Coordinates of all heavy atoms in Angstrom, one line a residue:
M207 N 94.8 51.7 58.7 CA 93.4 51.4 58.5 C 92.6 52.7 58.5 O 92.8 53.6 59.2 CB 92.9 50.6 59.8 CG 91.5 50.1 59.7 SD 91.2 49.0 61.1 CE 89.6 49.5 61.5
V208 N 91.7 52.8 57.5 CA 90.9 54.0 57.3 C 89.6 53.9 58.1 O 88.9 53.0 58.0 CB 90.5 54.2 55.8 CG1 89.7 55.4 55.6 CG2 91.8 54.2 55.0
M209 N 89.4 54.9 59.0 CA 88.2 55.0 59.8 C 87.2 55.8 59.0 O 87.4 56.9 58.6 CB 88.5 55.6 61.1 CG 89.5 54.8 62.0 SD 88.8 53.2 62.5 CE 87.6 53.7 63.6
T210 N 86.0 55.2 58.9 CA 84.9 56.0 58.2 C 83.7 56.0 59.2 O 83.2 54.9 59.6 CB 84.5 55.3 56.9 OG1 85.7 55.1 56.2 CG2 83.5 56.1 56.1
T211 N 83.1 57.1 59.4 CA 81.9 57.2 60.3 C 80.7 56.8 59.5 O 80.6 56.8 58.3 CB 81.8 58.7 60.8 OG1 81.5 59.5 59.6 CG2 83.0 59.2 61.5
H212 N 79.6 56.5 60.3 CA 78.4 56.2 59.7 C 77.9 57.3 58.8 O 77.3 57.1 57.7 CB 77.3 55.9 60.8 CG 76.0 55.6 60.3 ND1 75.6 54.4 59.7 CD2 74.8 56.4 60.3 CE1 74.3 54.5 59.4 NE2 73.8 55.6 59.7
E213 N 78.0 58.6 59.3 CA 77.6 59.7 58.5 C 78.3 59.8 57.2 O 77.7 60.1 56.2 CB 77.9 61.0 59.4 CG 77.1 62.2 58.9 CD 77.2 63.3 59.9 OE1 78.3 63.9 59.9 OE2 76.2 63.6 60.6
E214 N 79.6 59.5 57.2 CA 80.4 59.6 56.0 C 79.9 58.5 55.0 O 79.8 58.7 53.8 CB 81.9 59.4 56.3 CG 82.5 60.6 56.9 CD 83.9 60.4 57.4 OE1 84.2 59.2 57.7 OE2 84.7 61.3 57.5
K215 N 79.6 57.3 55.5 CA 79.1 56.2 54.7 C 77.8 56.6 54.1 O 77.5 56.4 52.9 CB 79.0 54.9 55.5 CG 80.4 54.3 55.8 CD 80.2 53.1 56.6 CE 81.5 52.5 56.9 NZ 81.4 51.4 57.9
M216 N 76.9 57.2 54.9 CA 75.6 57.5 54.4 C 75.6 58.7 53.3 O 74.7 58.8 52.5 CB 74.7 58.0 55.6 CG 74.2 56.8 56.4 SD 73.4 55.5 55.5 CE 71.8 56.3 55.1
H217 N 76.7 59.4 53.4 CA 76.8 60.5 52.4 C 76.9 60.0 50.9 O 76.6 60.7 50.0 CB 78.1 61.3 52.7 CG 78.2 62.6 52.0 ND1 77.3 63.6 52.2 CD2 79.0 63.0 51.1 CE1 77.6 64.6 51.4 NE2 78.7 64.3 50.7
T218 N 77.4 58.8 50.8 CA 77.5 58.2 49.4 C 76.4 57.2 49.2 O 76.4 56.4 48.2 CB 78.8 57.5 49.2 OG1 79.0 56.4 50.2 CG2 80.0 58.5 49.4
T219 N 75.4 57.1 50.0 CA 74.3 56.2 49.9 C 73.0 56.9 49.3 O 72.7 58.0 49.8 CB 73.9 55.5 51.2 OG1 75.1 54.9 51.7 CG2 72.8 54.5 51.1
R220 N 72.4 56.4 48.2 CA 71.3 57.0 47.6 C 70.1 56.0 47.6 O 70.3 54.8 47.5 CB 71.6 57.4 46.2 CG 72.8 58.4 46.1 CD 72.3 59.8 46.4 NE 73.5 60.7 46.2 CZ 74.3 61.0 47.2 NH1 74.2 60.5 48.4 NH2 75.3 61.9 47.0
F221 N 68.9 56.6 47.7 CA 67.7 55.8 47.6 C 66.8 56.3 46.5 O 66.5 57.5 46.5 CB 66.9 55.9 49.0 CG 67.7 55.3 50.2 CD1 68.4 56.2 50.9 CD2 67.7 54.0 50.5 CE1 69.1 55.8 52.0 CE2 68.4 53.5 51.6 CZ 69.1 54.4 52.4
R222 N 66.4 55.4 45.6 CA 65.4 55.8 44.6 C 64.2 55.0 45.0 O 64.1 53.8 44.8 CB 65.9 55.4 43.2 CG 64.9 55.9 42.2 CD 65.5 56.1 40.8 NE 64.5 56.5 39.9 CZ 64.0 55.8 38.9 NH1 64.5 54.6 38.6 NH2 63.0 56.3 38.1
V223 N 63.2 55.8 45.5 CA 62.1 55.2 46.1 C 60.9 54.9 45.1 O 60.5 55.8 44.4 CB 61.5 56.1 47.3 CG1 60.3 55.4 48.0 CG2 62.6 56.3 48.3
D224 N 60.5 53.7 45.1 CA 59.3 53.3 44.3 C 58.1 53.6 45.1 O 58.1 53.5 46.3 CB 59.5 51.8 44.0 CG 58.5 51.4 42.9 OD1 57.7 52.2 42.4 OD2 58.6 50.2 42.4
D225 N 57.0 53.9 44.4 CA 55.7 54.1 45.1 C 55.2 52.8 45.7 O 54.5 52.8 46.7 CB 54.6 54.6 44.1 CG 54.9 56.0 43.7 OD1 55.6 56.7 44.4 OD2 54.4 56.4 42.6
K226 N 55.6 51.7 45.1 CA 55.2 50.4 45.6 C 56.2 49.9 46.6 O 57.4 49.7 46.3 CB 55.1 49.4 44.4 CG 54.6 48.0 44.7 CD 54.6 47.1 43.5 CE 56.0 46.7 43.1 NZ 56.1 45.8 42.0
P227 N 55.8 49.6 47.9 CA 56.7 49.1 48.9 C 57.2 47.7 48.6 O 56.4 46.9 48.2 CB 55.9 49.2 50.2 CG 54.5 49.2 49.8 CD 54.4 49.8 48.4
H228 N 58.5 47.5 48.8 CA 59.1 46.1 48.6 C 59.0 45.3 49.8 O 59.2 44.1 49.8 CB 60.5 46.2 48.0 CG 61.5 46.8 49.0 ND1 61.5 48.2 49.3 CD2 62.5 46.3 49.8 CE1 62.4 48.4 50.2 NE2 63.0 47.3 50.5
I229 N 58.6 45.9 51.0 CA 58.4 45.2 52.2 C 57.1 45.7 52.7 O 56.8 46.9 52.8 CB 59.5 45.5 53.3 CG1 60.9 45.1 52.7 CG2 59.2 44.8 54.6 CD1 62.0 45.5 53.6
V230 N 56.2 44.7 53.1 CA 54.9 45.0 53.6 C 54.8 44.3 55.0 O 55.0 43.1 55.1 CB 53.8 44.6 52.7 CG1 52.4 44.9 53.3 CG2 53.9 45.4 51.3
V231 N 54.4 45.1 56.0 CA 54.2 44.5 57.3 C 52.7 44.5 57.6 O 52.0 45.4 57.4 CB 54.9 45.3 58.4 CG1 54.7 44.9 59.8 CG2 56.5 45.3 58.1
D232 N 52.2 43.4 58.2 CA 50.8 43.2 58.6 C 50.7 43.7 60.1 O 51.1 43.0 61.0 CB 50.4 41.8 58.5 CG 48.9 41.6 58.8 OD1 48.4 42.4 59.6 OD2 48.4 40.6 58.3
P233 N 50.2 44.9 60.3 CA 50.1 45.4 61.7 C 49.3 44.6 62.7 O 49.6 44.5 63.8 CB 49.5 46.8 61.5 CG 48.8 46.8 60.2 CD 49.5 45.8 59.3
D234 N 48.3 43.9 62.2 CA 47.5 43.0 63.1 C 48.3 41.9 63.6 O 48.2 41.5 64.8 CB 46.2 42.5 62.3 CG 45.2 43.6 62.1 OD1 45.2 44.6 62.8 OD2 44.5 43.5 61.1
K235 N 49.1 41.3 62.7 CA 50.0 40.2 63.2 C 51.0 40.7 64.1 O 51.4 40.0 65.1 CB 50.6 39.4 62.0 CG 49.5 38.7 61.2 CD 50.1 37.5 60.4 CE 48.9 36.6 60.0 NZ 48.7 36.6 58.6
C236 N 51.6 41.9 63.9 CA 52.6 42.4 64.7 C 52.1 42.7 66.1 O 52.8 42.6 67.1 CB 53.2 43.7 64.1 SG 54.1 43.5 62.6
K237 N 50.8 43.0 66.3 CA 50.2 43.2 67.6 C 50.3 42.0 68.5 O 50.2 42.1 69.7 CB 48.8 43.7 67.4 CG 48.7 45.2 67.1 CD 47.2 45.7 67.2 CE 47.2 47.1 66.8 NZ 45.8 47.6 66.6
T238 N 50.4 40.8 67.9 CA 50.4 39.6 68.7 C 51.8 39.1 68.8 O 52.1 38.0 69.3 CB 49.6 38.5 68.0 OG1 50.2 38.2 66.7 CG2 48.1 39.0 67.7
C239 N 52.8 39.9 68.4 CA 54.2 39.5 68.5 C 54.9 40.1 69.8 O 54.9 41.4 69.9 CB 55.0 40.0 67.3 SG 56.7 39.7 67.3
S240 N 55.4 39.3 70.6 CA 56.0 39.9 71.9 C 57.5 40.1 71.7 O 58.1 40.8 72.5 CB 55.7 38.9 73.0 OG 56.2 37.6 72.7
V241 N 58.1 39.5 70.7 CA 59.5 39.5 70.5 C 60.0 40.8 69.8 O 60.9 41.5 70.2 CB 60.0 38.3 69.7 CG1 61.5 38.4 69.6 CG2 59.6 37.0 70.4
R242 N 59.3 41.2 68.7 CA 59.6 42.4 67.9 C 61.1 42.4 67.5 O 61.7 43.5 67.7 CB 59.2 43.6 68.7 CG 57.7 43.8 68.9 CD 57.4 45.2 69.4 NE 56.1 45.3 70.0 CZ 55.7 46.4 70.5 NH1 56.4 47.5 70.5 NH2 54.5 46.4 71.0
A243 N 61.6 41.3 67.1 CA 63.0 41.3 66.7 C 63.4 42.3 65.7 O 64.5 42.8 65.6 CB 63.3 39.8 66.2
C244 N 62.4 42.6 64.8 CA 62.7 43.5 63.7 C 63.2 44.9 64.2 O 64.1 45.5 63.6 CB 61.5 43.7 62.8 SG 60.0 44.2 63.8
V245 N 62.6 45.3 65.3 CA 63.0 46.6 65.9 C 64.4 46.6 66.3 O 65.1 47.7 66.1 CB 62.1 46.9 67.1 CG1 62.5 48.1 67.8 CG2 60.6 46.9 66.8
Y246 N 65.0 45.5 66.8 CA 66.3 45.5 67.3 C 67.4 45.2 66.2 O 68.6 45.6 66.4 CB 66.4 44.5 68.4 CG 65.5 44.8 69.5 CD1 64.3 44.0 69.6 CD2 65.7 45.8 70.4 CE1 63.3 44.3 70.6 CE2 64.7 46.1 71.4 CZ 63.6 45.3 71.5 OH 62.6 45.6 72.4
V247 N 67.0 44.5 65.1 CA 68.0 44.1 64.2 C 68.1 45.0 62.9 O 69.2 44.9 62.2 CB 67.8 42.6 63.7 CG1 67.8 41.7 64.9 CG2 66.5 42.5 62.9
C248 N 67.1 45.8 62.6 CA 67.2 46.6 61.4 C 68.3 47.6 61.5 O 68.3 48.5 62.4 CB 65.8 47.3 61.2 SG 65.9 48.4 59.7
P249 N 69.3 47.6 60.7 CA 70.4 48.5 60.8 C 70.0 49.9 60.4 O 70.8 50.9 60.7 CB 71.4 47.9 59.8 CG 70.6 47.2 58.8 CD 69.5 46.6 59.6
A250 N 68.9 50.1 59.7 CA 68.4 51.4 59.4 C 67.4 52.0 60.3 O 66.8 53.1 60.1 CB 67.8 51.4 58.0
N251 N 67.0 51.2 61.4 CA 66.0 51.6 62.4 C 64.7 52.0 61.8 O 64.1 53.0 62.1 CB 66.6 52.8 63.2 CG 67.7 52.4 64.1 OD1 67.7 51.3 64.6 ND2 68.7 53.3 64.2
L252 N 64.2 51.2 60.9 CA 63.0 51.5 60.2 C 61.7 50.9 60.9 O 60.6 51.3 60.4 CB 63.0 50.9 58.7 CG 64.2 51.5 57.9 CD1 64.1 50.9 56.5 CD2 64.1 53.0 57.8
F253 N 61.9 50.1 61.9 CA 60.7 49.6 62.7 C 60.7 50.4 64.0 O 61.6 50.3 64.8 CB 60.9 48.1 62.9 CG 60.9 47.3 61.7 CD1 62.0 47.0 60.9 CD2 59.7 46.7 61.3 CE1 62.0 46.2 59.8 CE2 59.7 45.9 60.1 CZ 60.8 45.6 59.4
V254 N 59.5 51.0 64.2 CA 59.4 51.8 65.5 C 58.2 51.2 66.3 O 57.1 51.1 65.8 CB 59.1 53.2 65.2 CG1 58.9 54.0 66.4 CG2 60.2 53.8 64.3
P255 N 58.5 50.7 67.5 CA 57.4 50.1 68.3 C 56.4 51.2 68.8 O 56.9 52.3 69.2 CB 58.2 49.5 69.5 CG 59.5 50.2 69.6 CD 59.8 50.7 68.2
L256 N 55.1 50.9 68.7 CA 54.1 51.9 69.1 C 53.5 51.4 70.4 O 53.5 50.2 70.7 CB 53.1 52.0 68.0 CG 53.6 52.6 66.7 CD1 52.4 52.6 65.7 CD2 54.2 53.9 66.9
G257 N 52.8 52.3 71.1 CA 52.2 52.0 72.4 C 51.1 51.0 72.3 O 50.8 50.3 73.3
D258 N 50.4 50.9 71.2 CA 49.3 49.9 71.1 C 49.8 48.5 70.7 O 49.0 47.6 70.5 CB 48.3 50.4 70.0 CG 48.9 50.4 68.6 OD1 50.1 50.1 68.4 OD2 48.1 50.6 67.7
G259 N 51.1 48.3 70.7 CA 51.6 46.9 70.5 C 52.0 46.7 69.0 O 52.6 45.6 68.7
S260 N 51.7 47.6 68.1 CA 52.0 47.4 66.7 C 53.4 48.1 66.5 O 54.0 48.6 67.4 CB 50.9 48.0 65.8 OG 50.9 49.4 66.1
V261 N 53.8 47.9 65.2 CA 55.1 48.6 64.9 C 54.8 49.5 63.7 O 54.0 49.1 62.8 CB 56.2 47.6 64.5 CG1 56.7 46.9 65.8 CG2 55.9 46.7 63.4
L262 N 55.4 50.6 63.6 CA 55.4 51.5 62.5 C 56.6 51.2 61.6 O 57.7 51.0 62.1 CB 55.5 53.0 63.0 CG 55.5 54.1 62.0 CD1 54.1 54.2 61.3 CD2 55.8 55.4 62.6
F263 N 56.3 51.1 60.3 CA 57.4 50.7 59.4 C 57.4 51.6 58.2 O 56.4 51.9 57.6 CB 57.3 49.2 59.0 CG 58.2 48.8 57.9 CD1 59.6 48.7 58.2 CD2 57.8 48.6 56.6 CE1 60.5 48.4 57.2 CE2 58.8 48.3 55.6 CZ 60.1 48.2 55.9
N264 N 58.6 52.1 57.8 CA 58.8 52.8 56.6 C 59.9 52.1 55.7 O 60.9 51.8 56.2 CB 59.3 54.2 56.9 CG 58.2 55.0 57.6 OD1 57.1 55.2 57.1 ND2 58.5 55.5 58.8
Y265 N 59.5 51.9 54.5 CA 60.4 51.1 53.6 C 61.4 52.0 52.8 O 62.4 51.5 52.2 CB 59.6 50.3 52.6 CG 58.9 51.1 51.5 CD1 59.5 51.4 50.3 CD2 57.7 51.7 51.8 CE1 58.8 52.1 49.3 CE2 57.0 52.5 50.9 CZ 57.6 52.7 49.7 OH 56.9 53.5 48.7
E266 N 61.2 53.3 52.9 CA 61.9 54.3 52.0 C 63.5 54.2 52.1 O 64.2 54.4 51.1 CB 61.5 55.7 52.2 CG 60.1 56.0 51.6 CD 59.0 55.7 52.6 OE1 59.3 55.0 53.7 OE2 57.8 56.0 52.4
Q267 N 64.0 54.0 53.3 CA 65.5 54.1 53.4 C 66.0 52.7 53.8 O 66.9 52.6 54.6 CB 65.9 55.1 54.4 CG 65.5 56.5 53.9 CD 66.3 57.6 54.6 OE1 66.5 57.6 55.8 NE2 66.7 58.6 53.8
C268 N 65.4 51.7 53.2 CA 65.8 50.3 53.5 C 67.1 49.9 52.8 O 67.3 50.3 51.6 CB 64.7 49.4 53.0 SG 65.1 47.6 53.0
F269 N 68.0 49.3 53.5 CA 69.3 48.8 52.9 C 69.2 47.5 52.2 O 70.2 47.0 51.6 CB 70.4 48.7 54.0 CG 70.7 50.0 54.8 CD1 71.1 49.9 56.1 CD2 70.8 51.2 54.1 CE1 71.4 51.1 56.8 CE2 71.1 52.3 54.8 CZ 71.4 52.3 56.1
E270 N 68.0 46.9 52.2 CA 67.8 45.6 51.5 C 68.7 44.5 52.0 O 69.1 43.6 51.2 CB 68.0 45.8 49.9 CG 67.0 46.8 49.4 CD 67.3 47.3 48.0 OE1 67.9 46.5 47.2 OE2 67.1 48.4 47.6
C271 N 68.9 44.5 53.3 CA 69.8 43.4 53.8 C 69.0 42.1 54.1 O 69.6 41.1 54.1 CB 70.4 43.9 55.1 SG 69.2 44.2 56.5
G272 N 67.7 42.2 54.2 CA 66.9 41.0 54.4 C 66.8 40.5 55.9 O 66.2 39.5 56.1
T273 N 67.5 41.2 56.8 CA 67.6 40.7 58.2 C 66.2 40.6 58.8 O 65.9 39.7 59.5 CB 68.5 41.6 59.0 OG1 69.7 41.8 58.3 CG2 68.7 41.0 60.3
C274 N 65.3 41.6 58.6 CA 64.0 41.6 59.2 C 63.2 40.4 58.8 O 62.5 39.8 59.6 CB 63.2 42.9 58.9 SG 63.1 43.2 57.1
F275 N 63.3 40.0 57.6 CA 62.6 38.8 57.1 C 63.1 37.6 57.7 O 62.4 36.6 58.0 CB 62.7 38.8 55.5 CG 61.9 37.7 54.9 CD1 60.5 37.7 55.0 CD2 62.5 36.7 54.2 CE1 59.8 36.7 54.5 CE2 61.7 35.7 53.6 CZ 60.4 35.7 53.7
I276 N 64.4 37.5 57.9 CA 65.0 36.3 58.5 C 64.6 36.2 60.0 O 64.3 35.1 60.5 CB 66.6 36.4 58.4 CG1 66.9 36.2 56.9 CG2 67.2 35.3 59.2 CD1 68.4 36.5 56.6
V277 N 64.6 37.2 60.7 CA 64.3 37.1 62.2 C 62.8 37.1 62.5 O 62.5 36.7 63.6 CB 65.0 38.3 63.0 CG1 66.5 38.3 62.8 CG2 64.4 39.6 62.6
C278 N 62.0 37.5 61.6 CA 60.5 37.5 61.9 C 60.0 36.1 61.9 O 60.1 35.4 60.8 CB 59.8 38.4 60.9 SG 58.0 38.4 61.2
S279 N 59.5 35.6 63.0 CA 59.1 34.2 63.1 C 57.6 34.1 63.0 O 57.1 33.0 63.1 CB 59.6 33.7 64.5 OG 59.0 34.4 65.5
K280 N 56.9 35.2 62.8 CA 55.4 35.1 62.7 C 55.0 34.9 61.2 O 55.2 35.9 60.4 CB 54.8 36.4 63.3 CG 53.3 36.1 63.7 CD 52.9 37.2 64.7 CE 53.2 36.8 66.1 NZ 52.4 35.7 66.6
E281 N 54.4 33.8 60.9 CA 54.0 33.5 59.6 C 53.1 34.6 59.0 O 52.1 35.0 59.5 CB 53.2 32.2 59.6 CG 52.8 31.6 58.2 CD 54.0 31.0 57.5 OE1 54.9 30.4 58.2 OE2 54.0 31.1 56.3
G282 N 53.5 35.1 57.8 CA 52.7 36.1 57.1 C 52.8 37.5 57.6 O 52.1 38.4 57.0
A283 N 53.5 37.8 58.6 CA 53.6 39.1 59.2 C 54.4 40.1 58.3 O 54.1 41.3 58.3 CB 54.1 39.1 60.6
L284 N 55.3 39.6 57.6 CA 56.2 40.4 56.8 C 56.4 39.8 55.5 O 56.9 38.7 55.3 CB 57.5 40.5 57.6 CG 58.5 41.7 57.3 CD1 59.3 42.0 58.5 CD2 59.4 41.3 56.1
R285 N 56.1 40.6 54.5 CA 56.3 40.2 53.1 C 57.6 40.9 52.6 O 57.6 42.2 52.7 CB 55.1 40.5 52.2 CG 55.2 39.9 50.8 CD 54.0 40.3 49.9 NE 53.9 41.8 49.9 CZ 54.3 42.6 48.9 NH1 54.8 42.1 47.9 NH2 54.2 43.9 49.0
W286 N 58.5 40.3 52.0 CA 59.8 40.9 51.7 C 60.1 40.6 50.2 O 60.0 39.4 49.8 CB 60.9 40.4 52.6 CG 62.2 41.2 52.6 CD1 62.5 42.1 53.6 CD2 63.2 41.2 51.7 NE1 63.7 42.6 53.3 CE2 64.2 42.1 52.1 CE3 63.5 40.5 50.5 CZ2 65.4 42.4 51.4 CZ3 64.6 40.7 49.8 CH2 65.6 41.7 50.2
D287 N 60.6 41.6 49.5 CA 61.1 41.4 48.2 C 62.1 42.5 47.9 O 62.2 43.4 48.6 CB 59.9 41.5 47.2 CG 60.2 40.7 45.9 OD1 61.4 40.3 45.7 OD2 59.3 40.5 45.1
Y288 N 62.9 42.3 46.8 CA 63.8 43.4 46.4 C 62.9 44.4 45.6 O 61.9 44.0 45.0 CB 64.9 42.9 45.4 CG 66.0 42.2 46.1 CD1 66.2 40.8 46.0 CD2 66.9 42.9 46.9 CE1 67.2 40.1 46.6 CE2 67.9 42.2 47.6 CZ 68.1 40.9 47.4 OH 69.1 40.2 48.1
P289 N 63.3 45.7 45.6 CA 62.5 46.6 44.8 C 62.7 46.3 43.3 O 63.6 45.6 42.9 CB 63.3 48.0 45.1 CG 64.0 47.7 46.4 CD 64.4 46.3 46.4
D290 N 61.7 46.8 42.5 CA 61.8 46.6 41.1 C 63.1 47.3 40.6 O 63.7 48.1 41.2 CB 60.6 47.3 40.4 CG 59.4 46.5 40.6 OD1 59.5 45.3 41.0 OD2 58.3 47.0 40.3
G291 N 63.6 46.8 39.4 CA 64.8 47.3 38.8 C 64.9 48.8 38.7 O 63.9 49.4 38.3
G292 N 66.0 49.4 39.1 CA 66.1 50.9 39.0 C 65.7 51.6 40.3 O 66.0 52.8 40.4
Y293 N 65.1 50.8 41.2 CA 64.7 51.4 42.5 C 65.5 50.8 43.6 O 66.2 49.8 43.5 CB 63.2 51.2 42.7 CG 62.3 52.0 41.8 CD1 61.7 51.3 40.7 CD2 62.0 53.3 42.0 CE1 60.9 52.0 39.8 CE2 61.2 54.0 41.1 CZ 60.7 53.3 40.0 OH 59.9 54.0 39.1
G294 N 65.4 51.5 44.8 CA 66.1 51.0 46.0 C 67.4 51.7 46.3 O 67.6 52.8 45.8
V295 N 68.2 51.0 47.0 CA 69.4 51.6 47.5 C 70.6 51.5 46.6 O 70.7 50.5 45.9 CB 69.8 51.0 48.9 CG1 70.2 49.6 48.8 CG2 70.8 51.8 49.6
T296 N 71.4 52.5 46.5 CA 72.7 52.4 45.8 C 73.8 52.8 46.8 O 73.7 53.9 47.4 CB 72.7 53.4 44.6 OG1 71.6 53.0 43.8 CG2 74.0 53.3 43.8
F297 N 74.8 52.0 47.0 CA 75.9 52.3 47.9 C 77.0 52.9 47.1 O 77.2 52.6 45.9 CB 76.3 51.0 48.6 CG 75.3 50.4 49.5 CD1 74.6 49.3 49.1 CD2 74.9 51.0 50.7 CE1 73.6 48.7 49.9 CE2 73.9 50.5 51.5 CZ 73.3 49.3 51.1
R298 N 77.8 53.7 47.8 CA 79.0 54.2 47.2 C 78.8 55.1 45.9 O 79.6 55.0 45.0 CB 80.0 53.1 46.9 CG 80.4 52.4 48.1 CD 81.6 51.5 47.9 NE 81.9 50.8 49.1 CZ 83.0 50.3 49.4 NH1 84.0 50.4 48.5 NH2 83.2 49.6 50.5
E299 N 77.7 55.8 45.9 CA 77.5 56.7 44.7 C 78.2 58.0 45.0 O 78.1 58.5 46.1 CB 76.0 56.9 44.6 CG 75.6 57.7 43.3 CD 74.1 57.7 43.1 OE1 73.6 56.7 42.8 OE2 73.5 58.8 43.2
S300 N 78.9 58.5 44.1 CA 79.7 59.7 44.4 C 78.8 60.9 44.1 O 77.8 60.9 43.5 CB 80.9 59.7 43.5 OG 80.6 59.6 42.2
Ligands
LIG665 S1 57.5 42.2 61.7 FE1 57.7 40.2 62.6 S2 59.2 40.4 64.3 FE2 58.5 42.5 63.7 S3 56.8 43.0 65.1 FE3 55.9 42.1 63.2 S4 55.7 39.9 63.7 FE4 57.2 40.7 65.2
LIG666 S1 65.8 44.7 54.8 FE1 67.3 45.4 56.4 S2 67.3 47.6 56.2 FE2 65.5 46.9 55.2 S3 63.9 47.0 56.7 FE3 64.7 44.9 56.7 S4 66.3 44.9 58.3 FE4 65.8 47.0 57.8

């Protein structure tokens, strides 16, 4: 069995970032969310809880797994889509 570290895997991962975010979070709705499941489930750690109850979110290094959208139970708090063609993550790029 071949062991591969997270760092080794990220070495072959590329992001082509579009100016237009493919995930948009509504900070006002997040302020009323006590669960903040997105913070715990995002494999890229892109949701950061802030002291005022909101979350800081950056879409640039998103793996496009869709998990945040599935776990967010607050209607309209998170808009999710795939990036436009040619943008987003590419795995296993040499
Ligand atoms: S994105 Fe959804 S789960 Fe995350 S803090 Fe906002 S409302 Fe809560
Ligand atoms: S789609 Fe996946 S990687 Fe991207 S922000 Fe949501 S949970 Fe994180």
Side-chain angles (χ1 to χ4, degrees):
M207 185 172 143
V208 177
M209 296 296 288
T210 308
T211 65
H212 177 75
E213 197 171 74
E214 285 170 336
K215 286 179 181 168
M216 286 305 290
H217 193 65
T218 61
T219 304
R220 301 280 180 270
F221 299 93
R222 183 156 182 247
V223 180
D224 193 353
D225 290 340
K226 184 180 73 178
H228 64 289
I229 299 173
V230 176
V231 175
D232 182 336
D234 290 334
K235 291 206 163 111
C236 292
K237 276 186 182 173
T238 65
C239 173
S240 58
V241 181
R242 296 192 195 176
C244 56
V245 174
Y246 303 101
V247 301
C248 176
N251 291 324
L252 299 182
F253 294 86
V254 178
L256 299 178
D258 67 355
S260 63
V261 292
L262 180 68
F263 173 70
N264 293 303
Y265 68 97
E266 286 87 350
Q267 296 200 320
C268 171
F269 295 147
E270 300 167 32
C271 65
T273 310
C274 53
F275 186 61
I276 291 169
V277 300
C278 179
S279 57
K280 199 161 275 290
E281 184 76 33
L284 197 154
R285 187 184 56 99
W286 197 100
D287 205 348
Y288 284 110
D290 285 345
Y293 292 101
V295 67
T296 303
F297 297 104
R298 298 188 183 205
E299 188 172 290
S300 56

